[in-house]
Structure formats: structure tokens, C-alpha cells
């Protein structure tokens, strides 16, 4: 029987989903590591019965199961050739919480930060805190024994796991929890796989000689963050193995072993965690600046004498990358000069007085040490910004242009704090022998260093160094009896070195324990024991001939479109949920499918551009599927730490794919919508009347693939027919106002409002209403037409727009094209860049004039108004919302709040289309619609995007105004 037929039979037995098509296999072939293996299938089980069916199928067919949650593992834990079992979509329930016991029970797909948001009203939280906490899941944290920034106060995940409900390799359901010595003996008597496991563990560890062997070879016990192999050293603390009455943990709990086992022993379906009370509310951070790594290292141990909550370090490699990431630029506010390293020491206290005293003590120590040159003290929201800067570190490493990248292989070493300074000195010397300047990124207070060499894993020489460096560092870590993995796990990259790290005899014990749990080896093989080679199954074919991909858009800033896609390192920031803010990725937030993430789109494009044997490598239906729900919101260009510009990737794909397969009637219509809107605007009254009739509206919607519930936009007379044409004799400034194609024919009254406002404030406005931005062409992949427009507009404007005469626009998606896509489309790059430099949203222009004192509150009403503002996605990604917020706050008694709404879901033609309408409205319902609906009747809703205002009207029945219209109405 063929494999596909066997898998089809399995699919029919599952309540959940099973995929074995080419696209899904490629999407699940990688995680956030350097590895790639095509799985046999991808399963999304809905319940325990599905998981049992998968286990039974795996055992009967000799296929392995690779458990997966968010897929952000750095060591290759969720890469394998069997069935990837993704529990993130359906196993995501918080089962229950006990306030008295301070415990919570969750399924493995619950997001860590989502859990803590749920727990906050109870005054409780789950302490371990990784850099991926807004998308990593509890199951993955247990599998890796994650810890993060707070481990020096709250410990690691292993410390928090009370019990685990699991399914063993024979399909039996077993709950592992804390048991007494007597209960342990009872477990050994069970004639089941569970009983055999307990008997094996006892027999393997009971000998005093074996226990001494473990103590002598495992990482030092004061290294709390250690994940080298299975934690059999932790099991020895139980009185089952101890003759001492002072045993630190008298009960036995198999969860100590399962935590950090990377899904190789059992399949976890439910997790009960011990919680902590919320940390003290008062906090401060001392951000120490150093001129050398050595000085930073020397300061750590003395500073750890203080009661620090976090002690985190990052070097100038990380800091320099943040300069080029728009989302992180504002988070650099506290950086003074050019530090080689920053040590971020956070303190917490119950009262401000105690906090200030603790800060003074730290600063006194800092002064006595004399190792740092600056020590700004951060408080409140400043701390959050600084921590976000550090959290973005791992993803930001993907911003390195070209094939050399900061590679995760030695990035998770941990040594005792007393050994840290010497270890770093030897490590630095070792790196120098490889001509390496490593990236230093550390949980310094815990002795754990995320040190990454810069390697080209596309070259055989780079792969050779990959192994050599990892081997040499493993030997160095062993010298200090440290842990090769502090929190990122062994996975593929480090499992091969476990025998070296813990000794061959101890490694044999791990193999026998694995065999007891999983005799057929169906659970995540190649990790921990019987490891896959660390330099095989890499993401890129070594010494390949790099594919040459011709594109219309210019991707030279990333050395081509393929390397633009390769910038995605799999960190999974695009999987964060709406409650964690930002915009990325609206389609994933609606569907919760990996296929609809930014990561999936970049990965799929990389896969097909690299491996396709077609003349047109874009000509794959799978790429059409993966890009289908991309709204081109551009959030990935700013919120993705690697700044992968998927909106541009989609536009190029659409052009190339449609070149091979033709352009649909629907896409042609939407691409050329400006032409039809212009025609309709000549008879706007008649056009609107016809669009309101059931017959005409129904026919047009059917012909154009527009959803029946979507309303048509109202056509207006073009701006040139309604303009006031006021004459200003002595203007403060003269500006060019780009009346874009959307405003010109759909909302020309807004352009009139701007004319009245700017004229009243003393500005001369030169109107450009005969130009078209090309946004609708770009959104549908008509790049030749968009390029022609870009060249025409750049040639027309290059001698007009300059530092004296700015180009100001209204609709964000149109005016910001001059600052974004034109740089990739226009042939005259210098002129395009000059125009981009002097191009602004109307809100930005007015904001700047306010700062210069040319526009003041005295020019506006003192009446009270409440305003809720929703910003356009492109404004958030390429500009900022603060300009809109600031100008709306100019009238003295206007109270403005920004709706934390992400994308509205309309995205131009996307929300019109029948195939996308439901997703469009679902996105709107996440945050935007509820916020608008909750607003009182006298609250003014503001939105500066044409599509956003349309979406708000269709989704809530409320009319939203452009911020400039509100400001114009406020004129005295």
C-alpha cells in the first residue's frame, strides 16, 4: 500500500487535521534552528484520542512522532522525518487554577504570556520568562526546561512542574507527579509500561557508585540552568535514592526527568504548574555601560550580591542591529555613547523608598568597581522598552545581510558564576583562533551566555568550522564542569556532545531509560540519545550554486529576493496574539494556522526559489496558497526582528506567478480601480444611486467576486471640482499636497478639509491631484504598471520636492509608497531617495509645525471632546501613530486614546473579495470593532486610512473621521 494511501486512512480516523501535501511538509521542515528535514506528515490533533491514534499508527508503521508547539526551538528539537504533531491550534486550553494551592493546569499549547495575563487577576504568575514569551508555549517550555530572564529569582520550568498527564509509547495514559517512597515502591509493582519505567529508573540509579559517577560528571549543582541530557541528577535528590534525612526533595517526581526531555520519552497532554505571587510593583533598572566585554564580566559577580530580579547582558553587535530595526529604534533611548556591552540589572521592591535605597546600594557598588562609564536608571515604561530591546536580540541577529549569520550552536552554555570571568577569557581566546568576533548575549546573572559565532553554513568551510567550534567549546565547558545547554535544549546541535559532557557511562544510562519509556523509538528520535549528526540535515545545501532570480523590484539591499526570504530565522514573532499588541500577523491571528504566518511565507518562498526546477521558480500553486491571506500590512518589515518584507515578497510573487498563469478579471479590475473610480466620479450622483440599487450592486458583486455583505464605497466629485482655491499672500510655508487616487475620487471632502485647515493656519498648498501612487497595481502584482508610474512620478517630482518644499500626503498606503516601494521600483534611485526623505503624512507635517511653534492650541476650540484613534497599518510600519495622536491632542480639552487594534482587516481590495471577507471581518472583531462599539455616542472615532474608515463603517455602523477633518472642525 502506498504511503499516501496509508496516511489517508490515518486522516479518516482523526478528528483533527492531517496534512501530507508538499507545501505543509516544507513549512514544517524547519524551526528556528539551522536544520531542515522534510517530515512524512503534519498532524494537528484535536483531542487525546487523536494522539493515541497517532501513537498507535507510528508504532505499527515504524514512523516517528515529533511534538511541536510554536516551533521556535533553536537546536532543531522539532525537526524530523516522521509525523510532526502540532498541538498549538487545539491543545490550548487553561484547564483550571487553584488560588489556595497557587497552581494552574494547562494544555501544552497555551502561550506563556497568555497564561500570565489570565493569572494576573489572581495575583499569581508563572515565573520562567523566555525572549519568545509572547508566542512560546508551555509544552515547549517544559520540553526544553526553559528559564529566561527571571531564573535568578523564580527558577526554571523544571522547578515549577508539579504533574504531567502523558500518553506513553504503548498508548496508555499516565499521570506523573510527586510520590512518596512507599508510592514509588507500589509503582514498581505495576505490570504495565509505567511500572517497567519506574523499575528501570530505580535499577539504573540505585547504586551508590552510579550516583557518585553522576555527581562527578554532570554539571556543577550550583548551575541551576542546565539541560544536558536527561536530568537523572535531579532524581537523585529524592529519598528513594538518598540515605540522608536532609534530602532537598524527599518525594520522587518523574516530571524532573520529563522536563527538558524534548518530547523523547512521552507525549504530554496536560501540565500542572506551581505559581508564584506577582512580583513587587515598584521596579527600577540600572543599565550599566561598558567599554569592554571583560569589564562587564568582572562586574557581574559583585552585582549579584544585591537582590537583582534580572541581570541581562547584550553586546554592541546586538545594539548596532537595533539601529536598523524601526520597531526597536525608539527603545534605544537609554543608550549613551557607544558601549561595547550593556548589563541590565533590574530591582524590585514593595515600596518606592525601599526601591530607591536598593538602587543607591547598587550605584554605590558600581562606583566602587569603577568598571562602567554610564549607569542610567530606568523606571516604569522605560524598563519595558529596554527589555523589549534585549528580547528582540535573537531575532535581530537575522538582520545580518548576506550568507554569514550568527549561528546557534554554542549559544546556550552555562557555567558557575565563579567561573564566568575565566570562562569568558578562555572563550574569547578560543574564538580568536577562528578569527571570530562572537555575539555576546547573556543571562549573565545565571552564568549563561548566548555566544554565537558568525558562520556561512552554505559553504563547506563554514560547516567545518561549525563542528570544530562547537567541539572546542564543548571541551571548554566540560573543563569548567558547565552545561552545554542552559535553556535552549540539546536538540540536534548539542545532543552529539552529551557523552563528552556527562561521561559515556552516564550516557548509556540515558539510552536505557529512553528505551524503557520508548522501546520502539517513536518519540522524537535523534535528540538526546542516538543523536543525528550536528553538521548534517542543514537548512541549506552546502556549496550549492546560488540560484539567480530576476525580479522587477530591487532587492539588492538584501543581496536579492532569495536572501530577503532567508532573513527569516524562524523566531516566530509573527505568531504573537492580538492581546500582545502590534499588528503582525493579522491572518495568523484569525486562523491560528502556521501556513498563515509571515514565517511560513518566507519559508515557502525560500523553499521553492531554492529547490524548484521550473524556469519560473515562482510558478507554484503552493506559493499562491501561502500568500493568499497576506494582507500586505507591512508589519513584518518593522515588527519582525529580521525585518523580512513579506509585502514586497508577495507583490513580486504575484507578478511572476501571473506572468506565467495570466491575470484574472477580478485582479485586473481592482488593479485598475482608479480608472473606473475616475470615470464614476464624473457622474458621482448617478454612480452612487446605481450602486445602491439591488440589481446593479448584486450584479457587480457577483461579476467581481465581491462579498454580498460588503458595501460599495461612496464616489465623490474629484478634488479639482470641489477645491476652494484660496489665495495665501504671505504663507508660513509652501507644501505640495498629494491628493491620491483614493481621496481624489472617493473622499475628496477630506482634501478640501486639509485645504481649509492649512490655509487657515497660514500655509500655501500646491495640489497634486493628477498623480496616481500605484498602490492598487502593487497590491495585485501589476509591477510593470507600478514601475512605470514610479518612474513618471519620480521624474515629475525630483525638481519640485526638497528640503524647502515637502511632499505631503493624506492616505497612508498611497503617500508612503513614495517612501517604500518606489525605492525598489524607480530607476532613478538617488531622486527616489531624495523624494522619500522629504515625504510626510499630513499628520507628520502638522506635528512638525506644532513643534516649531507655527501651529498652536490657541487657534482651536476649547470645547471638550473624546477621541479614539485607529492608525493605518502602513503608518505603524513605516511612520508612527504619534503624529496623529499629537495633532488630535492639540485642542486643549481633546482627550485622545489610540486603539491598540493592529490591522483593521480591510487592506484595500482584500476585504471586498468574497474569498477573504470572513477573515477580514474576523480580524476587525479581534480588537478594533469591540473598541469602537464600546465607545459612547459622543466619542469621535478617528482613522486615517480610507480602507480603515470603510471597514469601521461596515463592521460597526459608525462613521470614522480623518484626524485632519477633526482638526479642521476644531478651528476657531
Amino acid at each position: 500500500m502506498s504511503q499516501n494511501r496509508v496516511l489517508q486512512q490515518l486522516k479518516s480516523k482523526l478528528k483533527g487535521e492531517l496534512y501530507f501535501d508538499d507545501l505543509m511538509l516544507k513549512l514544517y521542515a524547519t524551526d528556528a534552528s539551522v536544520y531542515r528535514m522534510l517530515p512524512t506528515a503534519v498532524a494537528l490533533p484535536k483531542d487525546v484520542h487523536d494522539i493515541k491514534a497517532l501513537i498507535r499508527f507510528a508504532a505499527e508503521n515504524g514512523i516517528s512522532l515529533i511534538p511541536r508547539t510554536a516551533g521556535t526551538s533553536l537546536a532543531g528539537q522539532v525537526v524530523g522525518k516522521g509525523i510532526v504533531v502540532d498541538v498549538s491550534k487545539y491543545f490550548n486550553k487553561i484547564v483550571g487554577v487553584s488560588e489556595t494551592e497557587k497552581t494552574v493546569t494547562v494544555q501544552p499549547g497555551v502561550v506563556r504570556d497568555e497564561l500570565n495575563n489570565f493569572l494576573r487577576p489572581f495575583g499569581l504568575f508563572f515565573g520562567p520568562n523566555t525572549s519568545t514569551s509572547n508566542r512560546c508555549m508551555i509544552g515547549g517550555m517544559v520540553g526544553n526546561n526553559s528559564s529566561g530572564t527571571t531564573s535568578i529569582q523564580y527558577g526554571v520550568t523544571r522547578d515549577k512542574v508539579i504533574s504531567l498527564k502523558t500518553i506513553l509509547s504503548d498508548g496508555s495514559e499516565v499521570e506523573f507527579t510527586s510520590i512518596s517512597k512507599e508510592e514509588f515502591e507500589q509503582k514498581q509493582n505495576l505490570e504495565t509500561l509505567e511500572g517497567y519505567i519506574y523499575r528501570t529508573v530505580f535499577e539504573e540509579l540505585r547504586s551508590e557508585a552510579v550516583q557518585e559517577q553522576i555527581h562527578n560528571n554532570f554539571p556543577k549543582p550550583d548551575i541551576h540552568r542546565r539541560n544536558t541530557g536527561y536530568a537523572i541528577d535531579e532524581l537523585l535528590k529524592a529519598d528513594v535514592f538518598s540515605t540522608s534525612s536532609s534530602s532537598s526533595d524527599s518525594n520522587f517526581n518523574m516530571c524532573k526527568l520529563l522536563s527538558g526531555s524534548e518530547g523523547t520519552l512521552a507525549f504530554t497532554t496536560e501540565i500542572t504548574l506551581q505559581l508564584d505571587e506577582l512580583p513587587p510593583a515598584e521596579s527600577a533598572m540600572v543599565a550599566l555601560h561598558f567599554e569592554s566585554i571583560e569589564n562587564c564580566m568582572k562586574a557581574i559577580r559583585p552585582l549579584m550580591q544585591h537582590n537583582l530580579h534580572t541581570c541581562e547582558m547584550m553586546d554592541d553587535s546586538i545594539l548596532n542591529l537595533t539601529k536598523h530595526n524601526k520597531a526597536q529604534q525608539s527603545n534605544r533611548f537609554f543608550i549613551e555613547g557607544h558601549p561595547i556591552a550593556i548589563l541590565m540589572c533590574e530591582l524590585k521592591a514593595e515600596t518606592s523608598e525601599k526601591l530607591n535605597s536598593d538602587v543607591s546600594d547598587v550605584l554605590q557598588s558600581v562606583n566602587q568597581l569603577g568598571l562602567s562609564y554610564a549607569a542610567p536608571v530606568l523606571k516604569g515604561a522605560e524598563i519595558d522598552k529596554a527589555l523589549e530591546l534585549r528580547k528582540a536580540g535573537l531575532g535581530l541577529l537575522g538582520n545580518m545581510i548576506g550568507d554569514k549569520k550568527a549561528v546557534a550552536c554554542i549559544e546556550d552554555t552555562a557555567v558557575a558564576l565563579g567561573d564566568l570571568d575565566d570562562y569568558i577569557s578562555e572563550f574569547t581566546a578560543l574564538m580568536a583562533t577562528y578569527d571570530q568576533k562572537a555575539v555576546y548575549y547573556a543571562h549573565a546573572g545565571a552564568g549563561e551566555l548566548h555566544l554565537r559565532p558568525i558562520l556561512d553554513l552554505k559553504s563547506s568551510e563554514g560547516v567545518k568550522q561549525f563542528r570544530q567550534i562547537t567541539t572546542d567549546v564543548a571541551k571548554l565547558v566540560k573543563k569548567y564542569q558547565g552545561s552545554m545547554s542552559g535553556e535552549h535544549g540539546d536538540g540536534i546541535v548539542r545532543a552529539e556532545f552529551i557523552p563528552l559532557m556527562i561521561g559515556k557511562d552516564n550516557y548509556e544510562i540515558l539510552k536505557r531509560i529512553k528505551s524503557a519509556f520508548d522501546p520502539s523509538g517513536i518519540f522524537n528520535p535523534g535528540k538526546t540519545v542516538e543523536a543525528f549528526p550536528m553538521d548534517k540535515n542543514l537548512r541549506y545545501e552546502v556549496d550549492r550554486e546560488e540560484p539567480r532570480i530576476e525580479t522587477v523590484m530591487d532587492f539588492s539591499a538584501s543581496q536579492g529576493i532569495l536572501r530577503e526570504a532567508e532573513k527569516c530565522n524562524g523566531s516566530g514573532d509573527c505568531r504573537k496574539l492580538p492581546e500582545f499588541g502590534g499588528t503582525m500577523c493579522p491572518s495568523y491571528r484569525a486562523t491560528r494556522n502556521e501556513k498563515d504566518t509571515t514565517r511560513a511565507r518566507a519559508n515557502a518562498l525560500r523553499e521553492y526559489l531554492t529547490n524548484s526546477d521550473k524556469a519560473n521558480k515562482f510558478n507554484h500553486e503552493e506559493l499562491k496558497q501561502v500568500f493568499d491571506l497576506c494582507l500586505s500590512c507591512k508589519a513584518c518589515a518593522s515588527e519582525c526582528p529580521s525585518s523580512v518584507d513579506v509585502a514586497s515578497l508577495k507583490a513580486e510573487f504575484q507578478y511572476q506567478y501571473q506572468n506565467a498563469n495570466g491575470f484574472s478579471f477580478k485582479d485586473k479590475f481592482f488593479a485598475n480601480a482608479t480608472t473606473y473610480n475616475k470615470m464614476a466620479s464624473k457622474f458621482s450622483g448617478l454612480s452612487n444611486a446605481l450602486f445602491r440599487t439591488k440589481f446593479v450592486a448584486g450584479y457587480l458583486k457577483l461579476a467581481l467576486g465581491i462579498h454580498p455583505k460588503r458595501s460599495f464605497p461612496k464616489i465623490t466629485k474629484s478634488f479639482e471640482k470641489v477645491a476652494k482655491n484660496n489665495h495665501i499672500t504671505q504663507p508660513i510655508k509652501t507644501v505640495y499636497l498629494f491628493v491620491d487616487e483614493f481621496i481624489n475620487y472617493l473622499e475628496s471632502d477630506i482634501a478640501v478639509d486639509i485645504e481649509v485647515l492649512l490655509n487657515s493656519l497660514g500655509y500655501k498648498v500646491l495640489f497634486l491631484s493628477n498623480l496616481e501612487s500605484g498602490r492598487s497595481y502593487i497590491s495585485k502584482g501589476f509591477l510593470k504598471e507600478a514601475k512605470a508610474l514610479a518612474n513618471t512620478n519620480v521624474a515629475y517630482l525630483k525638481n519640485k520636492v526638497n528640503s524647502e518644499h515637502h511632499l505631503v500626503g493624506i492616505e497612508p498606503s498611497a503617500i508612503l509608497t513614495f517612501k517604500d516601494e518606489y525605492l525598489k521600483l524607480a530607476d532613478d534611485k538617488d531622486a527616489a531617495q531624495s523624494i522619500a526623505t522629504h515625504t510626510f503624512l499630513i499628520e507628520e507635517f502638522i506635528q512638525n509645525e506644532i513643534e516649531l511653534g507655527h501651529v498652536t492650541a490657541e487657534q482651536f476650540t476649547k470645547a471638550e471632546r473624546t477621541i479614539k484613534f485607529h492608525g493605518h497599518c502602513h503608518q505603524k510600519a513605516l511612520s508612527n501613530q504619534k503624529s496623529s495622536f499629537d495633532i488630535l491632542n492639540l485642542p486643549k480639552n481633546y482627550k485622545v486614546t489610540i486603539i491598540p487594534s493592529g490591522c483593521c482587516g480591510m487592506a484595500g481590495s482584500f476585504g471586498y473579495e468574497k474569498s477573504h471577507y470572513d477573515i477580514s471581518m474576523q480580524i476587525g472583531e479581534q480588537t478594533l470593532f469591540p473598541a469602537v462599539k464600546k465607545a459612547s455616542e459622543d466619542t469621535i472615532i478617528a482613522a486615517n486610512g480610507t480602507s480603515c474608515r470603510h471597514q469601521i463603517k461596515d463592521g460597526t455602523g459608525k462613521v470614522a473621521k480623518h484626524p485632519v477633518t477633526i482638526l479642521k472642525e476644531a478651528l476657531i
Side-chain angles (χ1 to χ4, degrees), residues 772-908:
E772 181 182 345
S773 71
R775 170 55 57 199
S776 57
Y777 286 128
I778 295 168
S779 72
K780 288 300 179 185
F782 286 65
L783 293 188
K784 286 291 180 69
E785 292 83 350
K787 184 178 179 68
L789 273 176
N791 284 330
T792 299
N793 292 343
V794 167
Y796 179 75
L797 293 171
K798 68 178 181 179
N799 295 321
K800 292 181 171 64
V801 176
N802 50 48
S803 58
E804 296 296 320
H805 298 92
H806 294 161
L807 179 63
V808 177
I810 307 166
E811 164 59 31
S813 67
I815 189 62
L816 292 175
T817 306
F818 288 84
K819 296 178 75 72
D820 186 27
E821 285 93 349
Y822 277 24
L823 302 179
K824 295 184 178 76
L825 289 169
D827 293 325
D828 190 341
K829 301 296 183 188
D830 292 339
Q833 183 60 64
S834 177
I835 293 168
T837 302
H838 301 111
T839 295
F840 302 93
L841 281 171
I842 182 63
E843 295 102 305
E844 291 178 301
F845 173 77
I846 296 172
Q847 179 193 41
N848 187 56
E849 294 305 294
I850 293 170
E851 292 173 357
L852 293 172
H854 297 158
V855 179
T856 67
E858 283 65 34
Q859 295 168 291
F860 298 91
T861 182
K862 290 182 175 58
E864 294 185 357
R865 296 284 188 275
T866 299
I867 301 169
K868 289 187 177 296
F869 171 72
H870 164 76
H872 191 284
C873 289
H874 292 188
Q875 178 189 25
K876 296 168 189 171
L878 302 171
S879 175
N880 64 78
Q881 296 184 90
K882 190 175 184 297
S883 58
S884 301
F885 179 78
D886 285 353
I887 72 165
L888 287 171
N889 267 305
L890 184 59
K892 289 183 177 178
N893 294 312
Y894 278 24
K895 296 178 180 177
V896 187
T897 56
I898 296 176
I899 301 171
S901 45
C903 180
C904 74
M906 187 65 171

Side-chain angles (χ1 to χ4, degrees), residues 49-108:
H49 298 292
D50 276 357
I51 294 175
K52 285 185 173 183
L54 288 165
I55 291 172
R56 185 166 54 252
F57 177 86
E60 291 172 354
N61 292 274
I63 292 176
S64 61
L65 301 178
I66 302 102
R68 173 174 168 139
T69 51
T72 58
S73 47
L74 291 164
Q77 287 94 323
V78 297
V79 174
K81 295 181 179 179
I83 299 174
V84 174
V85 185
D86 182 351
V87 297
S88 66
K89 186 172 182 179
Y90 298 117
F91 278 77
N92 55 13
K93 308 295 188 299
I94 298 173
V95 179
V97 61
S98 170
E99 289 184 76
T100 54
E101 298 294 325
K102 296 180 183 176
T103 63
V104 68
T105 299
V106 299
Q107 292 181 325

Side-chain angles (χ1 to χ4, degrees), residues 664-700:
S664 70
F665 172 73
K666 170 179 67 71
D667 287 345
K668 286 180 182 177
F669 174 83
F670 282 117
N672 291 281
T674 298
T675 300
Y676 304 118
N677 289 337
K678 184 177 182 179
M679 293 168 56
S681 74
K682 294 178 180 179
F683 312 98
S684 57
L686 176 61
S687 298
N688 290 323
L690 286 172
F691 292 158
R692 284 195 297 268
T693 64
K694 187 174 182 180
F695 174 76
V696 173
Y699 175 77
L700 287 175

Side-chain angles (χ1 to χ4, degrees), residues 288-296 313-320 335-343 373 437-441:
L288 301 172
H289 292 45
F290 298 89
E291 293 177 337
S292 70
I293 298 292
E294 291 75 19
N295 282 350
C296 180
M313 175 234 183
M314 57 183 169
D315 72 357
D316 57 340
S317 298
I318 297 288
L319 293 172
N320 290 337
I335 297 172
E336 300 179 19
H338 304 284
I340 299 299
I342 287 183
L343 194 64
Y373 72 83
K437 181 187 181 297
V439 177
Y440 292 82
Y441 175 85

